[in-house]
Amino acid sequence: MTVLRSVVLGCGSYLPERILTNAELATQIDTSDEWIVQRTGIRQRHIAAEGEFTSHLAINAARSALTHAGVDAQSIDLIVLATSTPDNTFPATAVAVQNGLGIHHGAAFDLQAVCSGFVFALATADNFLRSGAFKRALVIGAETFSRILDWNDRGTCVLFGDGAGAVVLDAQAQPGKSSDRGVLTTHLRSDGRHKSKLYVDGGPSSTRTVGYLRMEGREVFKHAVGMITDVIVDAFEASRTTAEDINWFVPHQANKRIIDASAHKLHIAPQKVVLTVDRHGNTSAASIPLALGVAVADGRIKQGDLVLLEAMGGGFTWGSALVRW
Ligand code: ACO
């Protein structure tokens, strides 16, 4: 008996040209390269240019993913774009991307789960593809967090960066075994009791402004490892796999200490962990597809590899996905 699976045909990413180093930040606010590296592992981040919007980053990432997949944009009938920094309150940034790619059929919408956005978008697209509703999807994470940072708040502005990444998913019949290619299992969670620990202090309905990111860093840190490991254990149990079976662990890139502690708790070997937080900072929904892009381009992730994704972010929201590349 065959089953439909969402097989990854290709991935791509895009980073704005401008790089902001810790040393440069230290000339603007009371911080140091040493403090930032020691607490977070971040050395630099990319910042979108004036007039460069989330949709522009997303279109570049989508084009690169389509090229890598070797498919035409016209074969895409679903675009799910994860972002917390849309071009406008509405319409969805996804429709700007759809139009920018010259696609005028199918459906395109945004999804908001902050740093967990890419995992939530992947799970959403996977469910649509496996149901037969759509055939080929672009799943994109794209952010311009630099626009919602309070550049006077050293506790948050050093952590984030801009960028975009995308994957092309194709509905394909597979034998229905754990050796199948494609998305094998996804697990999504949220708990709104934590909604004021990481939030933006503005919005169309509350303040009629965009607002700035606010965070209780220690509170986020305290919950992160437990939530991440819980949802990965769910993925292992559902797929009858273990940390040993994983070829690559591609976590949301928020903080090296959170990533190291999660991998350690799950007994995932350090050499299997894909790390880009040093170069990209925390790019929220874009961080996982950006990291996938790096590990595919440098030849680490190959067809047939078992890739474990996880993210945790504002809400709190958190989730995992296990994908056979
Ligand atoms: N440079 C220098 N000093 C700083 C900076 C900075 N950029 N930021 C804060 N400090 C100071 C504080 O003012 C404080 O000084 P004080 O002791 O004189 O009051 C001191 O450093 C300690 O501050 P804490 O906030 O307690 O520092 P902590 O060790 O908790 O590290 C950090 C802060 C890095 C934010 C940490 O809490 C963390 O990593 N939290 C997780 C948050 C995270 O990753 N968020 C990403 C978004 S969520 C997600 O994507 C999952």
Side-chain angles (χ1 to χ4, degrees), residues 4-7 9 75-78 128-130 132-137 168-172:
L4 273 181
R5 298 267 196 207
S6 309
V7 173
L9 294 184
S75 68
I76 299 292
D77 57 1
L78 175 66
F128 274 126
L129 293 185
R130 285 189 297 107
F134 295 95
K135 301 235 169 324
R136 190 171 281 173
V168 178
L169 293 182
D170 191 43
Q172 293 186 3

Side-chain angles (χ1 to χ4, degrees), residues 23-320:
E24 194 179 342
L25 264 175
T27 65
Q28 295 158 10
I29 51 165
D30 183 14
T31 190
S32 65
D33 178 54
E34 191 195 4
W35 192 97
I36 302 171
V37 172
Q38 197 228 332
R39 305 282 173 128
T40 70
I42 298 167
R43 294 178 185 279
Q44 62 170 50
R45 69 287 293 142
H46 291 248
I47 304 291
E50 203 56 46
E52 194 174 34
F53 301 163
T54 293
S55 62
H56 302 141
L57 310 188
I59 289 168
N60 283 326
R63 286 207 176 109
S64 128
L66 290 165
T67 302
H68 183 244
V71 300
D72 191 87
Q74 295 310 319
S75 68
I76 299 292
D77 57 1
L78 175 66
I79 299 175
V80 186
L81 188 150
T83 189
S84 300
T85 45
D87 291 6
N88 300 89
T89 302
F90 78 82
T93 301
V95 301
V97 173
Q98 185 194 32
N99 192 45
L101 296 172
I103 305 170
H104 303 116
H105 61 268
F109 59 90
D110 288 359
L111 187 150
Q112 219 285 63
V114 205
C115 298
S116 310
F118 184 77
V119 174
F120 276 59
L122 189 81
T124 302
D126 175 49
N127 276 283
F128 274 126
L129 293 185
R130 285 189 297 107
S131 77
F134 295 95
K135 301 235 169 324
R136 190 171 281 173
L138 260 173
V139 181
I140 308 170
E143 303 279 18
T144 46
F145 258 53
S146 63
R147 307 265 154 77
I148 55 163
L149 295 176
D150 174 352
W151 288 97
N152 295 312
D153 175 10
R154 66 177 183 172
T156 54
C157 76
V158 304
L159 303 175
F160 296 90
D162 301 336
V167 298
V168 178
L169 293 182
D170 191 43
Q172 293 186 3
Q174 295 282 309
K177 298 182 176 159
S178 61
S179 56
D180 285 0
R181 285 190 68 200
V183 178
L184 301 179
T185 188
T186 58
H187 301 268
L188 306 183
R189 301 277 300 279
S190 55
D191 184 346
R193 283 177 298 182
H194 303 288
K195 69 185 173 65
S196 57
K197 291 181 179 131
L198 175 52
Y199 69 105
V200 169
D201 63 3
S205 179
S206 54
T207 60
R208 307 176 196 206
T209 62
V210 172
Y212 291 108
L213 183 148
R214 306 291 174 204
M215 178 176 74
E216 294 176 37
R218 283 203 174 168
E219 279 295 309
V220 177
F221 199 98
K222 202 172 83 187
H223 287 89
V225 177
M227 288 176 162
I228 288 164
T229 50
D230 276 357
V231 84
I232 289 176
V233 168
D234 288 349
F236 284 155
E237 284 175 6
S239 58
R240 297 205 184 94
T241 54
T242 68
E244 292 275 291
D245 302 315
I246 301 304
N247 296 104
W248 301 107
F249 179 43
V250 186
H252 167 51
Q253 309 281 321
N255 182 313
K256 186 174 183 300
R257 286 191 297 155
I258 295 175
I259 294 171
D260 289 347
S262 308
H264 180 76
K265 194 169 167 193
L266 291 157
H267 306 291
I268 297 172
Q271 62 272 21
K272 294 181 177 179
V273 181
V274 175
L275 263 184
T276 51
V277 71
D278 55 333
R279 286 163 278 170
H280 302 164
N282 181 349
T283 57
S284 190
S287 90
I288 291 176
L290 274 164
L292 286 171
V294 168
V296 168
D298 68 21
R300 274 180 287 175
I301 297 179
K302 296 179 290 299
Q303 191 169 317
D305 283 354
L306 196 55
V307 182
L308 175 65
L309 314 178
E310 67 76 9
M312 181 263 182
F316 292 143
T317 56
W318 64 108
S320 65

